[in-house]
Amino acid sequence: MEPGRGGVALTFDDGPDPDSTPAVLAALDATGATATFFMLGEQLMRHQEVGREVVARGHEVALHGFGHEHHEQLTPQQARDDLARGLGAVEAATGRRPRFYRPPYGRFSEHSYEACRKLELEPVYWSVWGQDWDTLAPKRIAELVGRDLGDGAIVLLHDSPRYADRDSAAATAKALVPIAEQARAAELRLASLGELA
């Protein structure tokens, strides 16, 4: 899928997480942007209140699976179970049924792709990333996003450090104001996938 003209889809993987999801939500409020949060079931089991706050603030929930698994290493049954279990966790915690699915590490297997199809989830990748799984300063994250920011872009960021090589995802939240400034300068609005689809 491609977002519509004049917009950039802002997406976050790996949460919800009290480490930085609340700071990301505050930054989105400050910039007037909405986003899509690709949530993990195992994160929602620990942090349901954070997941519910994402919805309460008007953002879209999407599925990232139950666990942060390498799908190419899963059996057909394990792949199906991961998606179905994750979908159930997101629906139970947030009251919303996700429309979109992004696999961890951006890797589908034929089995997880088939499970996605059977569960009526639209697969989504990205076209811009801030490489914020690594320990980068907010300014550097914003620079990386800004290089490829354009109409129809899908930006990948992370609102949890749990599956990455960094202690906190706070730098991601701090990068959102300069990212929003770049988008405004390019006359692009930051929105969720659903709003732009």
Side-chain angles (χ1 to χ4, degrees):
M1 56 91 37
E2 290 209 13
R5 292 200 49 78
V8 172
L10 192 55
T11 70
F12 296 89
D13 285 7
D14 296 352
D17 191 322
D19 169 79
S20 65
T21 304
V24 166
L25 291 172
L28 292 171
D29 284 350
T31 61
T34 53
T36 301
F37 287 78
F38 284 86
M39 297 184 178
L40 286 160
E42 67 182 12
Q43 288 283 76
L44 273 165
M45 304 263 309
R46 294 181 190 97
H47 313 297
Q48 288 185 20
E49 69 289 345
V50 182
R52 285 192 290 271
E53 185 63 21
V54 168
V55 171
R57 302 265 189 114
H59 302 288
E60 181 177 39
V61 296
L63 181 63
H64 201 38
F66 184 81
H68 203 270
E69 307 291 344
H70 288 272
H71 275 253
E72 70 277 13
Q73 297 173 4
L74 300 180
T75 66
Q77 186 64 49
Q78 288 171 327
R80 285 191 295 272
D81 288 351
D82 182 71
L83 267 75
R85 201 170 161 211
L87 187 61
V90 172
E91 288 183 287
T94 68
R96 301 289 167 88
R97 189 188 194 288
R99 172 180 170 185
F100 302 106
Y101 171 73
R102 178 185 288 144
Y105 310 103
R107 295 187 195 129
F108 274 103
S109 69
E110 65 180 291
H111 312 300
S112 60
Y113 191 84
E114 178 63 15
C116 187
R117 189 188 64 74
K118 285 185 175 179
L119 291 168
E120 298 178 346
L121 294 163
E122 293 180 42
V124 172
Y125 286 103
W126 61 89
S127 58
V128 178
W129 59 6
Q131 297 182 21
D132 64 335
W133 62 85
D134 206 350
T135 305
L136 296 178
K139 181 179 178 184
R140 181 63 179 148
I141 294 169
E143 286 172 358
L144 290 168
V145 169
R147 285 195 312 205
D148 297 313
L149 205 59
D151 186 29
I154 300 174
V155 178
L156 168 62
L157 295 168
H158 298 79
D159 62 320
S160 175
R162 182 172 170 83
Y163 311 95
D165 295 327
R166 59 182 179 162
D167 296 329
S168 173
T172 298
K174 291 175 184 170
L176 290 177
V177 169
I179 289 170
E181 289 169 352
Q182 292 173 59
R184 269 194 300 277
E187 299 182 351
L188 298 166
R189 69 185 180 109
L190 297 176
S192 68
L193 284 163
E195 288 176 296
L196 299 177

